[in-house]
Amino acid sequence: MSRIYHSKLVNSTKMVKDAHANKYAIGHFNINNLEWTKSILEAAQESNTPVIIATSEGALKYMGGAPVVVGMVNGLLETLNITVPVALHLDHGQSVEMAKKCIEAGYSSVMFDGSHLPYEENISKVKELMDFANEHEVSVEAEIGSIGGEEDGVVGEGELGDPNQAAEMATTGITMLAAGIGNIHGKYPEWWKSLSFDTLEELQAACKLPMVLHGGSGIPQDQVEKAIKLGISKINVNTELQLAFRDATREYIEAKKDLDDEAKGFDPRKLLAPGYKALKQTFMDLTKVFGCQGKA
Ligand code: 13P
């Protein structure tokens, strides 16, 4: 395997282990483009915060593939003089092949999401990935149960993780475990009440690993803090950043600033600037709650 790029990236292992031991959580932020990446890296550096930058398979395809993402992130680490620990993570990798492809391209952390598979198949694929990941010193996240979300217009709560499966997953050598604990991707519906803290406690006692909270957008602060106390060490956020970007961009357009030709309000660097600033502020607000600011 040859890594094309010189890289300052680190894997997620030390970050999430430190967070687990000291009861805070690392922010995992999904990126979509240059503005997203730059704002998160700058905010992380300014606040001395270790960070996990993540792409779903869809986002990485959108940006042109793993080598483009790796090139962009590594380039920014150099030119922005980023010295805080940064991991580049594949979010919800759907196959072992995809995870390996990202590792070869230079990702330092991967999730293999076999939650849609029968459990035996899920764990056997995790095992299949582990040798390759270890060889490249890449951290691995697996998932049991399932995270809720929208399917055919209906929002489901997902399936709670099973403690026996959590204990067995821990024996594979994975770095961290995601599990269904009543969490949902996207906006939480009106009827949603709470994370299942009993489930989280049981899973944590069974696996003793840093655990990952998916669907980190819009969970009330007291629940986030309680989840961190019970073993959540990485919190995934996507929708909240997108909403912040949307709101700031909408404000710019509603103020008709994009139509100010004299000020070149149509220049994408101006059009996207409010969203970029909003992303930075959202990062700062969330990482304060997660307790990871200043932990680099
Ligand atoms: P949200 O979009 O709900 O923040 O979830 C993000 C996530 O869990 C990515 O894996």
Side-chain angles (χ1 to χ4, degrees), residues 97-150:
E97 292 66 37
M98 187 63 186
K100 287 184 176 174
K101 221 165 126 179
C102 286
I103 293 171
E104 278 178 337
Y107 276 60
S108 60
S109 187
V110 291
M111 174 185 193
F112 170 70
D113 177 4
S115 62
H116 52 287
L117 301 170
Y119 171 69
E120 288 309 325
E121 207 177 328
N122 182 2
I123 192 165
S124 94
K125 290 206 185 274
V126 169
K127 287 179 185 160
E128 189 188 326
L129 175 61
M130 283 315 295
D131 282 347
F132 192 79
N134 285 337
E135 204 180 304
H136 295 90
E137 294 177 24
V138 163
S139 42
V140 174
E141 174 182 341
E143 179 174 322
I144 55 164
S146 66
I147 318 295
E150 193 183 315

Coordinates of all heavy atoms in Angstrom, one line a residue, residues 97-150:
E97 N -14.8 -3.5 1.6 CA -14.0 -3.0 0.4 C -13.9 -1.5 0.4 O -12.8 -0.9 0.2 CB -14.7 -3.4 -0.9 CG -14.6 -4.9 -1.2 CD -15.5 -5.7 -0.2 OE1 -16.5 -5.3 0.2 OE2 -15.0 -6.8 0.2
M98 N -15.0 -0.8 0.7 CA -15.1 0.6 0.7 C -14.1 1.1 1.9 O -13.4 2.1 1.7 CB -16.5 1.1 1.0 CG -16.6 2.6 0.8 SD -16.2 3.2 -0.8 CE -16.3 4.9 -0.6
A99 N -14.2 0.5 3.0 CA -13.4 0.9 4.2 C -11.9 0.8 3.8 O -11.1 1.7 4.0 CB -13.7 0.1 5.4
K100 N -11.6 -0.3 3.1 CA -10.2 -0.6 2.7 C -9.7 0.5 1.7 O -8.6 1.0 1.7 CB -10.0 -2.0 2.2 CG -10.0 -3.1 3.2 CD -9.7 -4.4 2.6 CE -9.7 -5.5 3.6 NZ -9.6 -6.9 3.0
K101 N -10.6 0.8 0.8 CA -10.3 1.8 -0.3 C -10.0 3.1 0.4 O -9.1 3.8 0.0 CB -11.5 1.9 -1.2 CG -11.2 2.0 -2.6 CD -12.4 1.8 -3.5 CE -12.7 3.0 -4.4 NZ -13.8 2.8 -5.2
C102 N -10.8 3.5 1.4 CA -10.5 4.8 2.1 C -9.2 4.8 2.8 O -8.5 5.7 2.8 CB -11.7 5.1 3.0 SG -13.1 5.6 2.1
I103 N -8.9 3.6 3.5 CA -7.7 3.5 4.2 C -6.5 3.7 3.2 O -5.5 4.4 3.5 CB -7.6 2.1 5.0 CG1 -8.6 2.1 6.1 CG2 -6.2 1.9 5.5 CD1 -8.8 0.7 6.7
E104 N -6.6 3.0 2.1 CA -5.5 3.1 1.1 C -5.4 4.5 0.6 O -4.3 5.0 0.3 CB -5.8 2.2 -0.1 CG -5.4 0.7 0.2 CD -5.7 -0.3 -0.9 OE1 -6.6 0.0 -1.7 OE2 -5.0 -1.3 -0.9
A105 N -6.5 5.2 0.5 CA -6.4 6.6 0.0 C -5.8 7.6 1.1 O -5.4 8.7 0.8 CB -7.8 7.1 -0.4
G106 N -5.9 7.1 2.4 CA -5.3 8.0 3.4 C -6.2 8.3 4.6 O -5.8 9.1 5.4
Y107 N -7.4 7.8 4.6 CA -8.2 8.0 5.8 C -7.5 7.3 7.0 O -6.9 6.3 6.9 CB -9.6 7.3 5.6 CG -10.6 8.2 4.8 CD1 -10.3 8.6 3.5 CD2 -11.8 8.6 5.4 CE1 -11.2 9.3 2.8 CE2 -12.7 9.3 4.7 CZ -12.4 9.7 3.4 OH -13.3 10.5 2.7
S108 N -7.7 8.0 8.1 CA -7.0 7.5 9.3 C -8.0 6.8 10.3 O -7.6 6.3 11.3 CB -6.3 8.6 10.1 OG -7.3 9.6 10.5
S109 N -9.2 6.7 9.9 CA -10.3 6.1 10.8 C -11.4 5.7 9.9 O -11.8 6.4 9.0 CB -10.7 7.2 11.8 OG -11.5 6.7 12.8
V110 N -12.0 4.6 10.2 CA -13.2 4.1 9.4 C -14.3 3.5 10.3 O -14.0 2.9 11.3 CB -12.8 3.1 8.3 CG1 -11.9 3.7 7.2 CG2 -12.1 1.8 8.9
M111 N -15.5 3.7 9.8 CA -16.6 2.9 10.4 C -17.0 1.9 9.4 O -17.2 2.2 8.2 CB -17.8 3.9 10.7 CG -19.0 3.1 11.2 SD -20.4 4.2 11.3 CE -21.5 3.2 12.3
F112 N -17.2 0.6 9.9 CA -17.9 -0.3 9.1 C -19.2 -0.5 9.7 O -19.4 -0.9 10.8 CB -17.1 -1.7 9.0 CG -18.0 -2.8 8.4 CD1 -18.3 -2.7 7.0 CD2 -18.6 -3.7 9.2 CE1 -19.2 -3.6 6.5 CE2 -19.5 -4.7 8.6 CZ -19.7 -4.6 7.2
D113 N -20.3 -0.1 8.9 CA -21.6 -0.2 9.4 C -22.3 -1.4 8.9 O -22.9 -1.4 7.8 CB -22.4 1.1 9.0 CG -23.9 1.0 9.5 OD1 -24.3 0.0 10.2 OD2 -24.6 1.9 9.1
G114 N -22.3 -2.5 9.7 CA -22.9 -3.8 9.3 C -24.3 -3.9 10.0 O -24.8 -5.1 10.1
S115 N -24.8 -2.8 10.5 CA -26.0 -2.9 11.3 C -27.2 -3.4 10.5 O -28.2 -3.9 11.1 CB -26.3 -1.6 11.9 OG -26.6 -0.6 11.0
H116 N -27.2 -3.3 9.2 CA -28.3 -3.8 8.4 C -28.1 -5.3 8.1 O -29.0 -5.9 7.5 CB -28.3 -3.0 7.1 CG -27.0 -3.0 6.4 ND1 -25.9 -2.2 6.8 CD2 -26.5 -3.6 5.3 CE1 -24.9 -2.4 6.1 NE2 -25.2 -3.3 5.1
L117 N -27.0 -5.9 8.4 CA -26.8 -7.3 8.2 C -27.2 -8.1 9.4 O -27.2 -7.6 10.5 CB -25.2 -7.5 7.9 CG -24.6 -6.7 6.8 CD1 -23.1 -6.9 6.9 CD2 -25.1 -7.2 5.4
P118 N -27.4 -9.5 9.1 CA -27.5 -10.3 10.3 C -26.3 -10.2 11.2 O -25.2 -10.0 10.6 CB -27.6 -11.7 9.7 CG -28.0 -11.5 8.3 CD -27.4 -10.2 7.9
Y119 N -26.4 -10.2 12.5 CA -25.3 -9.9 13.4 C -24.1 -10.8 13.1 O -22.9 -10.3 13.1 CB -25.8 -10.1 14.9 CG -24.6 -10.1 15.8 CD1 -23.9 -8.9 16.0 CD2 -24.1 -11.2 16.4 CE1 -22.8 -8.8 16.8 CE2 -23.0 -11.2 17.3 CZ -22.4 -10.0 17.5 OH -21.3 -9.9 18.3
E120 N -24.2 -12.1 12.8 CA -23.1 -12.9 12.6 C -22.2 -12.4 11.4 O -21.0 -12.5 11.4 CB -23.5 -14.4 12.3 CG -24.0 -15.1 13.6 CD -23.0 -15.0 14.8 OE1 -21.8 -15.0 14.5 OE2 -23.5 -14.9 15.9
E121 N -23.0 -12.0 10.4 CA -22.3 -11.4 9.2 C -21.6 -10.1 9.5 O -20.5 -9.8 9.1 CB -23.3 -11.2 8.1 CG -22.8 -11.3 6.7 CD -23.9 -11.2 5.7 OE1 -25.0 -11.6 5.9 OE2 -23.6 -10.6 4.6
N122 N -22.3 -9.3 10.3 CA -21.7 -8.0 10.8 C -20.4 -8.2 11.4 O -19.4 -7.7 11.0 CB -22.8 -7.3 11.7 CG -22.3 -5.9 12.2 OD1 -21.3 -5.4 11.8 ND2 -23.2 -5.3 13.0
I123 N -20.4 -9.1 12.5 CA -19.1 -9.3 13.2 C -18.0 -10.0 12.4 O -16.8 -9.6 12.5 CB -19.4 -10.0 14.6 CG1 -18.1 -9.9 15.4 CG2 -19.8 -11.4 14.4 CD1 -18.3 -10.2 16.9
S124 N -18.4 -10.8 11.5 CA -17.4 -11.5 10.7 C -16.8 -10.5 9.7 O -15.6 -10.6 9.5 CB -17.9 -12.8 10.0 OG -18.4 -12.5 8.8
K125 N -17.5 -9.6 9.3 CA -16.9 -8.5 8.4 C -16.1 -7.6 9.2 O -15.0 -7.1 8.7 CB -18.0 -7.8 7.6 CG -18.7 -8.7 6.6 CD -19.3 -7.9 5.5 CE -20.1 -8.7 4.5 NZ -19.3 -9.3 3.4
V126 N -16.5 -7.3 10.4 CA -15.6 -6.4 11.2 C -14.3 -7.1 11.4 O -13.2 -6.5 11.3 CB -16.3 -6.1 12.6 CG1 -15.3 -5.5 13.6 CG2 -17.5 -5.3 12.4
K127 N -14.3 -8.4 11.7 CA -13.0 -9.2 11.9 C -12.2 -9.1 10.7 O -11.0 -9.0 10.7 CB -13.4 -10.6 12.3 CG -13.9 -10.7 13.7 CD -14.2 -12.2 14.1 CE -14.8 -12.4 15.4 NZ -15.5 -13.6 15.6
E128 N -12.9 -9.3 9.5 CA -12.2 -9.3 8.2 C -11.4 -7.9 8.0 O -10.3 -7.9 7.4 CB -13.2 -9.4 7.1 CG -12.7 -9.7 5.7 CD -13.9 -9.7 4.7 OE1 -15.0 -10.1 5.1 OE2 -13.6 -9.2 3.6
L129 N -12.0 -6.8 8.5 CA -11.4 -5.5 8.3 C -10.3 -5.3 9.3 O -9.3 -4.5 9.0 CB -12.5 -4.4 8.5 CG -12.1 -3.0 8.5 CD1 -11.5 -2.6 7.1 CD2 -13.3 -2.0 8.7
M130 N -10.3 -5.9 10.5 CA -9.4 -5.5 11.5 C -7.9 -5.7 11.2 O -7.1 -4.8 11.5 CB -9.7 -6.3 12.8 CG -10.9 -5.8 13.6 SD -11.0 -4.0 13.8 CE -9.6 -3.7 14.8
D131 N -7.5 -6.8 10.5 CA -6.1 -7.0 10.2 C -5.6 -5.9 9.3 O -4.5 -5.3 9.6 CB -5.9 -8.3 9.4 CG -6.0 -9.5 10.4 OD1 -5.9 -9.3 11.6 OD2 -6.1 -10.6 9.9
F132 N -6.4 -5.5 8.3 CA -5.9 -4.5 7.4 C -5.9 -3.1 8.1 O -4.9 -2.4 7.9 CB -7.0 -4.4 6.2 CG -6.5 -3.6 5.1 CD1 -5.7 -4.1 4.1 CD2 -7.0 -2.3 4.9 CE1 -5.3 -3.3 3.0 CE2 -6.6 -1.5 3.9 CZ -5.7 -2.0 2.9
A133 N -6.8 -2.9 8.9 CA -6.9 -1.6 9.7 C -5.7 -1.5 10.6 O -5.0 -0.5 10.7 CB -8.2 -1.5 10.4
N134 N -5.4 -2.6 11.3 CA -4.3 -2.6 12.3 C -3.0 -2.4 11.6 O -2.1 -1.7 12.1 CB -4.3 -3.9 13.1 CG -5.4 -4.0 14.1 OD1 -5.8 -2.9 14.6 ND2 -5.8 -5.2 14.5
E135 N -2.8 -3.1 10.5 CA -1.6 -3.0 9.7 C -1.3 -1.5 9.3 O -0.2 -1.1 9.2 CB -1.8 -3.8 8.4 CG -0.6 -4.3 7.7 CD -1.1 -5.0 6.4 OE1 -1.9 -6.0 6.6 OE2 -0.7 -4.6 5.3
H136 N -2.4 -0.7 9.1 CA -2.3 0.7 8.7 C -2.5 1.6 9.9 O -2.6 2.8 9.7 CB -3.2 1.0 7.5 CG -2.9 0.2 6.3 ND1 -3.4 -1.0 6.0 CD2 -2.0 0.5 5.3 CE1 -2.9 -1.5 4.9 NE2 -2.1 -0.6 4.4
E137 N -2.6 1.1 11.1 CA -2.8 1.9 12.3 C -4.0 2.8 12.2 O -4.0 4.0 12.5 CB -1.6 2.7 12.6 CG -0.4 1.8 13.0 CD 0.9 2.5 13.3 OE1 0.8 3.7 13.6 OE2 1.9 1.9 13.2
V138 N -5.1 2.2 11.6 CA -6.3 3.0 11.4 C -7.3 2.5 12.4 O -7.5 1.3 12.7 CB -6.8 2.8 10.0 CG1 -8.3 3.2 9.8 CG2 -6.0 3.6 9.0
S139 N -8.0 3.5 13.1 CA -9.0 3.1 14.1 C -10.3 2.7 13.4 O -10.7 3.1 12.3 CB -9.3 4.3 15.0 OG -9.4 5.5 14.3
V140 N -11.1 1.8 14.1 CA -12.3 1.2 13.5 C -13.5 1.4 14.5 O -13.4 1.1 15.7 CB -12.1 -0.3 13.2 CG1 -13.4 -0.9 12.7 CG2 -11.0 -0.5 12.1
E141 N -14.6 1.8 13.9 CA -15.9 1.9 14.6 C -16.8 0.9 14.0 O -16.9 0.7 12.8 CB -16.4 3.3 14.4 CG -17.8 3.5 15.0 CD -18.4 4.9 14.7 OE1 -17.6 5.9 14.4 OE2 -19.6 5.1 14.8
A142 N -17.5 0.1 14.8 CA -18.5 -0.8 14.4 C -19.9 -0.4 15.0 O -19.9 0.4 15.8 CB -18.1 -2.3 14.8
E143 N -20.9 -1.0 14.5 CA -22.3 -0.7 15.0 C -23.1 -1.9 15.3 O -23.1 -2.9 14.5 CB -23.0 0.2 14.0 CG -24.4 0.6 14.4 CD -25.1 1.6 13.5 OE1 -24.5 2.5 13.0 OE2 -26.3 1.5 13.3
I144 N -23.8 -1.9 16.4 CA -24.8 -2.9 16.7 C -26.2 -2.2 16.9 O -26.2 -1.0 17.2 CB -24.4 -3.8 17.9 CG1 -24.2 -2.9 19.1 CG2 -23.2 -4.7 17.6 CD1 -24.2 -3.6 20.4
G145 N -27.2 -3.0 16.8 CA -28.6 -2.4 16.8 C -28.7 -1.5 15.6 O -28.0 -1.8 14.6
S146 N -29.5 -0.5 15.7 CA -29.5 0.4 14.5 C -29.9 1.8 15.0 O -30.6 2.0 16.0 CB -30.4 -0.1 13.4 OG -31.7 -0.1 13.8
I147 N -29.5 2.8 14.2 CA -29.8 4.2 14.5 C -31.1 4.5 13.8 O -31.3 4.2 12.6 CB -28.7 5.2 14.0 CG1 -27.3 4.6 14.2 CG2 -28.9 6.6 14.5 CD1 -26.9 4.5 15.7
G148 N -32.1 5.2 14.4 CA -33.3 5.6 13.8 C -33.1 6.6 12.7 O -32.0 7.1 12.5
G149 N -34.1 6.8 11.9 CA -34.1 7.8 10.8 C -35.2 7.6 9.9 O -36.1 6.8 10.1
E150 N -35.2 8.4 8.8 CA -36.4 8.4 7.9 C -36.3 7.4 6.9 O -35.2 7.2 6.2 CB -36.5 9.8 7.3 CG -37.8 10.0 6.6 CD -37.9 11.3 5.9 OE1 -37.5 12.3 6.4 OE2 -38.4 11.3 4.7

